[in-house]
C-alpha cells in the first residue's frame, strides 16, 4: 500500500509487477477497494505493471464531501498517473470503474493503449434507485449493503464454498465511506 496526493486528495494505490512492462490500471466497482483485484494479480502481473487504486471515498483513499461526478473520478485517475509519472497505460474498469473507463477514453484517449470494460453501463440508472440507496446509507451506513450486495454479486453456491470471499467483500463494503457511496 502506498499513498500519494493526486487531484487534490490523498490516494491509496499499489504499483507492482515488472518495471519495464506496460502499465495496466485497474479501477474498482462501487463499494470495493483495490483488493477486489487480488485474484487477478497473478495472471496480470507477469505481463503488466499493475496500478491498482482505491477510488475517491473507497478503501483508504480520502473521502471528500459530495457530490462526486464521473468527471471528478476521471480527473482522479489522470491525477494519479500524472503524480506517478505514467504517461500512457491500459485501463480496465469494472462497473463504476467501467464508467470511468468510458469517459477516460472519450476525454483522454491519447493517454491510453487500450480500455477494457467489464459489467458496466454507459449511463446511470434512474435517480429513484439511487435515492433509496442513499437514504439507507445515510441512516444505516454502508454496512447495510453487505448482505444484499454479496447476494447480488455471488451465487449462493459460491458463497457457501468461499466464505472467505464473502467476508473480504463485506469488509470492503463496510469500509466504504457514506460519501463514497453517495
Amino acid at each position: 500500500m502506498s499513498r500519494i496526493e493526486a487531484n487534490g486528495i490523498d490516494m491509496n494505490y499499489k504499483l507492482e509487477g515488472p518495471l519495464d512492462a506496460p502499465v495496466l490500471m485497474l479501477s474498482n466497482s462501487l463499494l470495493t477497494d483495490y483488493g477486489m483485484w487480488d485474484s487477478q494479480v497473478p495472471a496480470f502481473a507477469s505481463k503488466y505493471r499493475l496500478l491498482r487504486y482505491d477510488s475517491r471515498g473507497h478503501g483508504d483513499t480520502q473521502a471528500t464531501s459530495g457530490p462526486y461526478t464521473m468527471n471528478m473520478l476521471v480527473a482522479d485517475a489522470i491525477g494519479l498517473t500524472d503524480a506517478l509519472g505514467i504517461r500512457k497505460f491500459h485501463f480496465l474498469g469494472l462497473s463504476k470503474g467501467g464508467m470511468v473507463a468510458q469517459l477516460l477514453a472519450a476525454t483522454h484517449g491519447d493517454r491510453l493503449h487500450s480500455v477494457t470494460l467489464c459489467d458496466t453501463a454507459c449511463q446511470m440508472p434512474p435517480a429513484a434507485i439511487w435515492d433509496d440507496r442513499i437514504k439507507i446509507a445515510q441512516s444505516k451506513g454502508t454496512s447495510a449493503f453487505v448482505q444484499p450486495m454479496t447476494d447480488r454479486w455471488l451465487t449462493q453456491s459460491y458463497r457457501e464454498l468461499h466464505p472467505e470471499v464473502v467476508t473480504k467483500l463485506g469488509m470492503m463494503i463496510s469500509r466504504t465511506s457514506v460519501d463514497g457511496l453517495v
Side-chain angles (χ1 to χ4, degrees), residues 36-156:
M36 68 163 278
W37 299 104
D38 288 348
S39 296
Q40 287 74 37
V41 168
F44 288 148
S46 63
K47 185 174 180 180
Y48 296 101
R49 181 117 173 105
L50 296 179
L51 173 56
R52 299 186 285 158
Y53 71 105
D54 292 341
S55 298
R56 182 182 292 254
H58 290 70
D60 290 320
T61 289
Q62 183 179 349
T64 58
S65 57
Y68 298 178
T69 65
M70 284 298 147
N71 284 325
M72 179 186 288
L73 299 179
V74 167
D76 289 346
I78 290 295
L80 177 58
T81 57
D82 286 348
L84 294 172
I86 299 168
R87 173 71 187 130
K88 202 157 182 160
F89 50 96
H90 299 275
F91 194 91
L92 188 158
L94 175 69
S95 191
K96 172 196 55 70
M99 294 177 88
V100 171
Q102 292 172 69
L103 186 57
L104 182 66
T107 58
H108 298 281
D110 62 318
R111 300 286 302 269
L112 302 170
H113 293 296
S114 69
V115 172
T116 303
L117 309 175
C118 301
D119 191 28
T120 192
C122 60
Q123 62 185 19
M124 296 295 279
I129 292 171
W130 293 107
D131 292 342
D132 293 341
R133 292 177 184 174
I134 289 167
K135 287 177 189 171
I136 291 168
Q138 290 173 331
S139 65
K140 299 180 182 177
T142 56
S143 61
F145 294 94
V146 171
Q147 182 76 41
M149 296 312 288
T150 54
D151 286 355
R152 181 178 171 192
W153 292 341
L154 308 170
T155 64
Q156 181 178 346

